[in-house]
Amino acid sequence: MAQPLNFVLNVPETPEDHGSQEPSPYDESEVHDSFHQLIQEQSQWVAEEGLELQQREPGAGGQETSGHLDESFCFVGSGQQALPGPEDALVHSTATLRILASMPSRTIGRSRGAVICQYYNRSVRLRRRVSRPELKGVRRSARPSLRLYDLELDPAALQEEEKRFLLVKELQGLPAAQRDHMLRGMPLGLAEKRCLREESQTPTGKQRGRQGPRGLFPCCGRLRDACVLALHSLGLGLLAGLHALRPWRYALKQIGGQFGSSVLSYFLFLKTLLAFNALLLLPLLAFIVGVQAAFPPPAPPGSARSFTGLELLTGGGRFTHTAMYYGYYANSTLNQPCAPAPAGGRCSREAAGLPYSMPLAYLFTVGLAFFITCVTLVYSMSHSFGESYRVGSTSGVHAVTVFCSWDHKVTQRRASRLQHDNIRTHLKELLAEWQRRRGSQSACGRLRRVAVRGLVWLLSLGTTLGCTVAVYAFSELMIKSPVSAEQEGALLALPVVVGLLNLGAPYLFRCLAALERHDSPVLEVYVAVCRNLILKMVILGILCYHWLGRRVGTLKDQCWENFVGQELYRLVVLDFVFVLLDTLLGELVWRLISEKQLKRREKPEFDIAGNVLELIYGQTLTWLGVVFSPLLPAIQIVKLLLVFYVKKTSLMANCQAPRRPWLASHMSTVFISLLCFPSFLGAAIFLCFAVWRVKPSSTCGPFRSLDSMYEAGKVWVRRLEEAGPRVSWLPWVHRYLVENTFPVYLVSALLLAVIYLHIQVVKGQRRVICLLKEQISNEGEDKVFLINKLHSVYERKERSRHRASFATVGTRIPAPQPGVMSSHPRSRLTLCHPPVPCFPQAGKIWSASRAQGRATSCRKSSRGAGTLTVHTGTCSAECWVRFAHFDSHSSLFTSPDCDPLRCCPS
Amino acid sequence: MGNKQTVFTHEQLEAYQDCTFFTRKEIMRLFYRYQDLAPQLVPLDYTSCPDVKVPYELIGSMPELKDNPFRQRIAQVFSEDGDGHMTLDNFLDMFSVMSEMAPRDLKAYYAFKIYDFNNDGYICAWDLEQTVTKLTRGELSAEEVSLVCERVLDEADGDHDGRLSLEDFQNMILRAPDFLSTFHIRI
């Protein structure tokens, strides 16, 4: 075996390369480390992941350079094997690529210099928008000049240092809060950010110091600085305090880690509800309950009953005459100077205090609390909508699945395995669906499916109707057979029936849903939510009619408000009991059955939609009962706290994460809007009706002498009118704006007009977005066309040059990378002899099969080292071996059986 | 207050607060997490800014990262030299970007870098293949993987150059509302 003749070529820098110092983004980052590290990293990576040695290893250590070389390999050599390489990119030569790489749009965000430049531009824009100083007040040199614009146009024009300097200057011009915001959002390393912060902070202080004496009050500037600093630290402190208040940090992390975002969204929703209830409860506690508790009304005769324990469920008995219910509150003005006072001593002591009219406080506080809730709800809903629904969000499922579906919160091995499986199945489903969509379905199958769906809908609506009729009949029965005070347990019958229906019907719906097979899991969830919601709302509607339409009539001499309050209390408490039952039966027992009997290892899935609907139902009950039982939100808060821990425990023990992909943000938007639209709106309508139209009972409560609760406000306005001219605007406002219907109509018409305009604007924007997208795609096609043209020119040039060089030396290095090679003096390209260029026109040097065999054997032996990049390209079925960055000083090829030179033909 | 101040000076803490999305308390918590990774390596006094790096093996074994298929890429992207060994600054930076408060653009930028396996500034078909393989633990067949990659490129590649640039990626992320909640590590 004759020793093959080898050429070891030092790649010289061609004169052409000297000339073309195009700023390539690859040069801007650091050049690679030692080769040794690269080998270590890669072998470790291979060992760790257990993957096959890829044809092109991702260069972990020598990042930019190896990436660059890889790319050029891809274009010249292989690329046909496993990956569907970009067709147009395959044929590009290096010169074209270099031009492409230095295109302005490509450099953004890739190198540090570009990032700095981008943020500089952004801060310039921001500063201009925020505080545009008057031109005449600014010295000439400081005026904004065209130079800034020129920078915007050409990001590569300035050196990095210069850009950085400009950025620091810009940051100095921004107010502190904005500067911090900007710094935080910058995609730079923390050390660099800190440097920027230091640099942009110190001169500002100096500047201010200089400015101070010039002003009218020399100390003013310093004082302002001190104030700003104090405010800054105060803000940080407050923020820290708020964060410390954030409850359940660890519990939420645990849930997110084990079950992912989908289940977490349920618990976050529960937390939101807690916040809403707290918001509702605070004004009620402060202005109604607290005040009335400070001035307790005289106890009604014969109300001192003993506590039996059943009250906790029924809410009656001893609880009846407490601050819990409407009937307890006085219709008088509290704290009046020596009125018929309940406690004489207190009257004399607090005679100077302001009079406090309880009916007014009751009306306005409830109204205010509802208004606050409404504003918060609408705000959070619109925010959520803005986040989760974007224009064109329906396209691009595959991309979104690949890039956004991994939940980085997940920390448990089991959960992460489940997530792997979920994503795999989802991808498979998507592919199948995509392939199926190209084919079409038979008419018969479609017809059958429509029929099944119609039948299931009919059945579920029938179930709903049945439940409604049952509740109605039962409530009529309750009216006909009044319960005596001793048998309070019988009062529980109606809530129990309602709870049972609410518990059972969803299971029936789930069974029915198993019959119809929906294509998309999202649609399935929506349909289930829709059915359950219809059931719950219809039942609540019937109950509302039962209370306001029927009970008010039958309880003539009693306090019907107390009765309704108690009824709602019972419903809330029993709802909690049934949630517990559901957890126990649906989750615990089912798990035991499936583990012990069916010997399956699968746990039941956590039904997010059903559980969230339960929460919404409970919240509706609370809102319905606020007027009749001001302490109901407190009960709800306690209930939610308990539910959180019960559900968490049950989840950890019994459940597994849902197998279906779950669009968490879409779903939370849907749930917030459900909370707003049928739930809150329904409750508000119910309460408005109760306040405006229904006559309050004449024996109890703050409105006992009036025709409606709203009358209290009217009476007050009338009294103000009599009181004097000081507040005469208020009765005027009342008369002309509230009682007169015209302004109300005007305002609602205006609101509708604004909404309509807004919709139109959004529509227009959507159209513009579509047009822009089309334009982008056209531009892309244009670009591809131009690139191809460019490439053909280069290729022609290259070909002629190549022919010449091949004829003289017989050696041609395909695709040298001048920018990279020149930066590393020791780098060499080792080529086999005779060199086997990949250009088809260069001609075959030796037989293809032989070459391929060589290459394969060599690749096998090089697996340990992991740096030998071998391409058995399909390009003219010829093999060529290329060793990137062969460092002559590293002990790369010490093993005798992996000598690169042996690959070469003898 | 006294013993807290020994780890960082007041100015240091303020600088960290201004440059990350964390409060003072969270920064301290993260510092102790970092210190726990290598107690003998990381000093408890950072006032003199010691030059300490915790090796990747320890970073990757944190419970927050150890089951993450992209842990190596995450560590590489956030480390200074791209080798996965992290200073305290890198560590804070990583969790700051992955925190709840970080804006979408910032997250998208780093997500792009994470998915760009060969660091060439684009997500090309090969990067995509790596991503899909890691996502599914290599349990999809080669054709399925290449089909998925083809579909992804088809959907997200706005300028038809056969690979995803940062702009393409950010456009795609805009359409994915769940990205903010999934690209998030609770600490």
Side-chain angles (χ1 to χ4, degrees):
Chain A
M1 194 164 150
Q3 190 68 17
L5 213 116
N6 299 314
F7 280 174
V8 177
L9 289 179
N10 276 319
V11 178
E13 293 189 0
T14 53
E16 187 189 86
D17 296 322
H18 275 299
S20 64
Q21 281 296 331
E22 287 276 353
S24 161
Y26 306 114
D27 306 344
E28 281 184 284
S29 193
E30 67 272 65
V31 194
H32 83 166
D33 295 322
S34 84
F35 214 37
H36 186 63
Q37 198 184 356
L38 182 71
I39 301 167
Q40 266 193 337
E41 291 267 352
Q42 285 181 342
S43 51
Q44 180 196 340
W45 190 71
V46 167
E48 195 177 80
E49 302 290 319
L51 288 174
E52 282 278 296
L53 180 72
Q54 303 287 331
Q55 271 203 320
R56 292 178 294 132
E57 287 289 343
Q63 296 189 345
E64 305 286 325
T65 27
S66 67
H68 197 175
L69 281 174
D70 274 347
E71 203 175 314
S72 63
F73 274 127
C74 172
F75 297 128
V76 190
S78 75
Q80 286 287 348
Q81 257 99 20
L83 60 155
E87 292 80 6
D88 52 350
L90 261 180
V91 287
H92 289 158
S93 69
T94 15
T96 325
L97 277 176
R98 220 161 352 117
I99 292 180
L100 282 183
S102 57
M103 283 198 308
S105 71
R106 300 304 173 88
T107 47
I108 292 174
R110 287 170 62 195
S111 63
R112 189 169 298 147
V115 167
I116 290 179
C117 189
Q118 196 188 358
Y119 272 83
Y120 165 71
N121 289 335
R122 217 180 270 187
S123 58
V124 167
R125 247 173 283 146
L126 197 67
R127 190 189 50 131
R128 279 190 201 142
R129 201 173 43 196
V130 170
S131 60
R132 192 187 292 260
E134 280 183 50
L135 267 186
K136 60 181 178 191
V138 183
R139 268 173 297 146
R140 193 173 185 78
S141 60
R143 285 180 192 169
S145 65
L146 275 178
R147 208 175 140 64
L148 305 181
Y149 290 104
D150 137 327
L151 194 79
E152 276 173 34
L153 286 177
D154 187 5
L158 290 175
Q159 291 300 309
E160 189 177 319
E161 278 307 307
E162 211 171 329
K163 288 178 204 161
R164 203 187 133 90
F165 177 68
L166 282 174
L167 176 66
V168 168
K169 261 176 84 180
E170 272 309 314
L171 283 177
Q172 282 168 11
L174 289 175
Q178 236 164 20
R179 189 181 56 217
D180 291 345
H181 184 74
M182 192 81 147
L183 269 178
R184 276 184 204 136
M186 245 181 241
L188 293 173
L190 189 54
E192 184 126 18
K193 279 187 202 171
R194 271 166 61 199
C195 282
L196 278 176
R197 178 179 172 272
E198 288 287 307
E199 283 169 33
S200 61
Q201 229 174 15
T202 29
T204 324
K206 278 183 208 156
Q207 212 176 2
R208 277 183 190 158
R210 260 187 276 121
Q211 271 175 356
R214 239 185 288 150
L216 268 178
F217 305 101
C219 61
C220 218
R222 225 167 294 160
L223 192 70
R224 199 186 58 186
D225 278 357
C227 281
V228 166
L229 276 181
L231 275 179
H232 183 69
S233 53
L234 184 74
L236 284 179
L238 274 180
L239 204 67
L242 271 181
H243 277 249
L245 271 181
R246 195 190 285 174
W248 297 325
R249 190 188 64 85
Y250 184 70
L252 289 178
K253 180 185 171 178
Q254 211 180 355
I255 294 167
Q258 285 198 18
F259 298 93
S261 299
S262 54
V263 177
L264 189 64
S265 69
Y266 166 78
F267 287 91
L268 290 178
F269 187 73
L270 200 153
K271 227 176 87 173
T272 318
L273 282 189
L274 262 182
F276 274 123
N277 279 306
L279 209 62
L280 189 63
L281 182 66
L282 277 181
L284 291 178
L285 265 188
F287 297 113
I288 302 181
V289 181
V291 176
Q292 187 67 61
F295 302 96
S303 68
R305 267 187 261 173
S306 60
F307 184 76
T308 55
L310 196 64
E311 283 96 329
L312 284 178
L313 281 181
T314 62
R318 194 166 161 72
F319 284 169
T320 312
H321 296 285
T322 55
M324 186 105 109
Y325 298 113
Y326 166 92
Y328 179 75
Y329 295 90
N331 68 340
S332 56
T333 302
L334 305 177
N335 206 5
Q336 205 156 28
C338 282
R346 188 174 288 151
C347 171
S348 61
R349 203 173 64 231
E350 291 173 2
L354 279 169
Y356 195 89
S357 164
M358 200 60 210
L360 273 184
Y362 206 94
L363 193 69
F364 284 137
T365 309
V366 171
L368 185 77
F370 253 72
F371 185 70
I372 292 174
T373 311
C374 179
V375 168
T376 335
L377 203 54
V378 168
Y379 174 75
S380 58
M381 191 173 79
S382 63
H383 184 75
S384 174
F385 258 107
E387 277 298 309
S388 69
Y389 286 93
R390 308 252 167 179
V391 176
S393 60
T394 46
S395 62
V397 225
H398 291 83
V400 169
T401 314
V402 168
F403 290 122
C404 310
S405 62
W406 184 264
D407 205 339
H408 291 266
K409 279 200 267 307
V410 166
T411 55
Q412 218 198 19
R413 170 144 296 172
R414 252 181 73 96
S416 108
R417 183 153 303 169
L418 197 69
Q419 206 177 349
H420 278 300
D421 293 347
N422 282 352
I423 291 174
R424 194 194 58 224
T425 351
H426 186 49
L427 279 176
K428 276 189 174 173
E429 278 175 2
L430 278 180
L431 282 183
E433 196 179 330
W434 179 67
Q435 275 160 350
R436 205 200 54 217
R437 209 182 298 156
R438 292 196 295 186
S440 67
Q441 216 188 356
S442 69
C444 184
R446 219 180 296 163
L447 199 70
R448 196 172 47 203
R449 194 180 292 179
V450 167
V452 167
R453 267 183 215 169
L455 191 71
V456 169
W457 264 107
L458 218 65
L459 277 175
S460 52
L461 285 181
T463 315
T464 309
L465 194 69
C467 291
T468 321
V469 169
V471 170
Y472 181 72
F474 206 79
S475 63
E476 287 296 311
L477 193 75
M478 291 291 288
I479 288 178
K480 272 182 200 134
S481 56
V483 181
S484 66
E486 283 76 39
Q487 311 167 286
E488 276 200 331
L491 283 173
L492 285 174
L494 184 63
V496 166
V497 167
V498 171
L500 275 178
L501 290 178
N502 268 335
L503 182 69
Y507 282 103
L508 189 68
F509 289 157
R510 232 193 275 180
C511 294
L512 285 177
L515 291 179
E516 46 170 9
R517 261 172 256 119
H518 279 288
D519 297 332
S520 76
V522 181
L523 187 66
E524 203 176 307
V525 172
Y526 279 131
V527 166
V529 164
C530 194
R531 282 174 193 158
N532 285 317
L533 195 76
I534 289 175
L535 174 79
K536 290 197 158 92
M537 289 306 135
V538 167
I539 288 182
L540 277 184
I542 284 292
L543 284 178
C544 288
Y545 167 74
H546 164 68
W547 293 321
L548 288 194
R550 307 277 301 153
R551 278 288 170 182
V552 176
T554 52
L555 295 170
K556 275 213 174 71
D557 48 342
Q558 295 169 43
C559 193
W560 65 267
E561 286 94 344
N562 268 5
F563 179 81
V564 174
Q566 284 174 6
E567 197 93 331
L568 281 162
Y569 174 89
R570 267 172 245 146
L571 280 172
V572 168
V573 169
L574 281 179
D575 180 49
F576 174 61
V577 171
F578 278 101
V579 165
L580 289 187
L581 267 182
D582 190 25
T583 313
L584 210 67
L585 289 178
E587 287 165 10
L588 180 68
V589 174
W590 180 243
R591 177 185 67 112
L592 289 179
I593 289 175
S594 75
E595 268 183 2
K596 295 269 149 56
Q597 297 295 315
L598 306 176
K599 304 282 179 210
R600 270 190 297 185
R601 291 207 35 172
E602 285 180 6
K603 294 172 170 184
E605 284 177 18
F606 186 73
D607 178 18
I608 304 163
N611 279 302
V612 170
L613 279 182
E614 286 287 327
L615 288 183
I616 291 180
Y617 172 71
Q619 191 55 43
T620 317
L621 288 179
T622 312
W623 279 329
L624 286 177
V626 167
V627 169
F628 308 109
S629 166
L631 277 180
L632 208 56
I635 309 281
Q636 173 77 357
I637 286 178
V638 174
K639 179 185 140 187
L640 287 177
L641 287 175
L642 290 177
V643 164
F644 183 91
Y645 288 106
V646 168
K647 281 285 174 193
K648 187 183 156 238
T649 319
S650 159
L651 180 77
M652 295 288 174
N654 303 328
C655 293
Q656 67 173 22
R659 302 202 140 271
R660 290 292 168 76
W662 179 264
L663 301 169
S665 68
H666 274 252
M667 275 300 159
S668 48
T669 310
V670 168
F671 290 141
I672 281 275
S673 12
L674 286 184
L675 191 67
C676 185
F677 168 57
S679 161
F680 182 77
L681 201 71
I685 288 173
F686 172 78
L687 289 187
C688 284
F689 184 75
V691 166
W692 254 278
R693 286 270 166 244
V694 183
K695 187 180 179 339
S697 55
S698 53
T699 54
C700 65
F703 308 104
R704 62 189 81 164
S705 57
L706 301 168
D707 276 343
S708 74
M709 297 187 193
Y710 177 63
E711 279 274 324
K714 269 192 195 166
V715 169
W716 177 61
V717 167
R718 220 171 294 137
R719 205 177 302 154
L720 274 186
E721 224 167 338
E722 289 158 10
R726 226 169 5 131
V727 280
S728 60
W729 55 273
L730 207 82
W732 183 86
V733 164
H734 178 257
R735 193 181 310 143
Y736 289 103
L737 295 187
V738 181
E739 289 202 325
N740 201 341
T741 46
F742 178 68
V744 177
Y745 281 125
L746 192 71
V747 166
S748 34
L750 274 179
L751 200 69
L752 281 182
V754 167
I755 290 175
Y756 177 75
L757 280 180
H758 204 74
I759 290 174
Q760 285 303 316
V761 167
V762 168
K763 219 177 185 180
Q765 278 171 348
R766 204 167 281 215
R767 204 169 298 151
V768 169
I769 287 172
C770 286
L771 282 177
L772 284 177
K773 263 188 193 157
E774 210 168 294
Q775 197 179 343
I776 288 176
S777 132
N778 284 341
E779 294 279 334
E781 270 159 29
D782 286 359
K783 200 156 68 185
V784 170
F785 173 77
L786 285 179
I787 289 168
N788 285 337
K789 279 273 172 210
L790 187 71
H791 172 248
S792 66
V793 170
Y794 267 110
E795 199 181 42
R796 222 175 301 139
K797 221 198 275 170
E798 195 115 324
R799 202 181 300 161
S800 58
R801 210 159 38 118
H802 172 77
R803 275 212 191 103
S805 69
F806 197 66
T808 52
V809 189
T811 308
R812 170 68 200 155
I813 304 123
Q817 294 300 319
V820 179
M821 294 297 173
S822 58
S823 64
H824 200 41
R826 278 192 320 219
S827 66
R828 295 164 186 199
L829 271 180
T830 312
L831 285 185
C832 301
H833 174 70
V836 193
C838 197
F839 297 106
Q841 69 273 15
K844 287 184 181 176
I845 308 296
W846 71 85
S847 88
S849 61
R850 211 171 127 199
Q852 205 138 7
R854 287 273 173 189
T856 322
S857 66
C858 191
R859 184 175 52 171
K860 274 184 191 154
S861 62
S862 72
R863 191 166 288 174
T867 48
L868 189 60
T869 320
V870 180
H871 287 264
T872 53
T874 52
C875 166
S876 308
E878 285 174 0
C879 149
W880 60 278
V881 183
R882 180 173 180 169
F883 302 101
H885 286 266
F886 180 13
D887 194 331
S888 58
H889 290 261
S890 77
S891 53
L892 182 56
F893 296 114
T894 44
S895 110
D897 55 13
C898 181
D899 191 333
L901 311 177
R902 288 204 181 184
C903 292
C904 304
S906 49
Chain B
M1 288 297 273
N3 49 3
K4 247 187 201 173
Q5 298 300 340
T6 52
V7 179
F8 299 114
T9 61
H10 187 70
E11 286 76 38
Q12 271 178 320
L13 259 183
E14 205 148 78
Y16 279 134
Q17 263 176 304
D18 282 348
C19 297
T20 62
F21 294 95
F22 293 128
T23 62
R24 185 171 299 227
K25 207 175 147 192
E26 285 168 324
I27 289 168
M28 290 316 290
R29 191 192 298 146
L30 274 173
F31 170 74
Y32 287 120
R33 287 296 304 274
Y34 182 73
Q35 212 262 336
D36 267 355
L37 289 176
Q40 68 281 30
L41 205 66
V42 182
L44 271 169
D45 175 24
Y46 253 73
T47 45
S48 55
C49 304
D51 184 27
V52 178
K53 280 186 177 182
V54 169
Y56 166 70
E57 289 74 31
L58 294 176
I59 298 278
S61 66
M62 286 179 73
E64 278 83 358
L65 288 178
K66 80 175 175 351
D67 288 305
N68 194 325
F70 299 104
R71 61 184 178 282
Q72 197 182 12
R73 280 302 300 162
I74 294 176
Q76 281 172 358
V77 162
F78 284 100
S79 60
E80 243 153 64
D81 309 326
D83 50 6
H85 308 323
M86 293 189 133
T87 61
L88 178 67
D89 281 3
N90 301 146
F91 189 77
L92 283 176
D93 213 18
M94 172 169 78
F95 282 106
S96 167
V97 169
M98 302 297 273
S99 78
E100 202 171 5
M101 305 291 290
R104 187 186 291 263
D105 275 354
L106 189 66
K107 285 188 177 225
Y109 175 82
Y110 279 103
F112 179 79
K113 283 193 123 184
I114 287 170
Y115 294 129
D116 178 16
F117 281 81
N118 55 13
N119 295 310
D120 65 347
Y122 299 99
I123 297 181
C124 60
W126 184 76
D127 293 323
L128 266 174
E129 245 176 74
Q130 293 293 307
T131 310
V132 175
T133 314
K134 278 188 185 282
L135 268 181
T136 57
R137 281 192 304 165
E139 285 169 2
L140 284 183
S141 68
E143 301 107 74
E144 282 169 326
V145 170
S146 65
L147 203 56
V148 168
C149 298
E150 203 181 302
R151 295 293 311 143
V152 171
L153 280 179
D154 196 33
E155 284 167 359
D157 185 15
D159 51 4
H160 297 293
D161 63 348
R163 45 194 182 158
L164 306 184
S165 59
L166 181 62
E167 273 176 281
D168 291 332
F169 189 75
Q170 279 176 336
N171 273 337
M172 195 268 305
I173 289 294
L174 266 187
R175 283 182 267 142
D178 277 332
F179 174 72
L180 279 186
S181 65
T182 54
F183 200 73
H184 171 202
I185 296 180
R186 280 174 191 270
I187 44 139

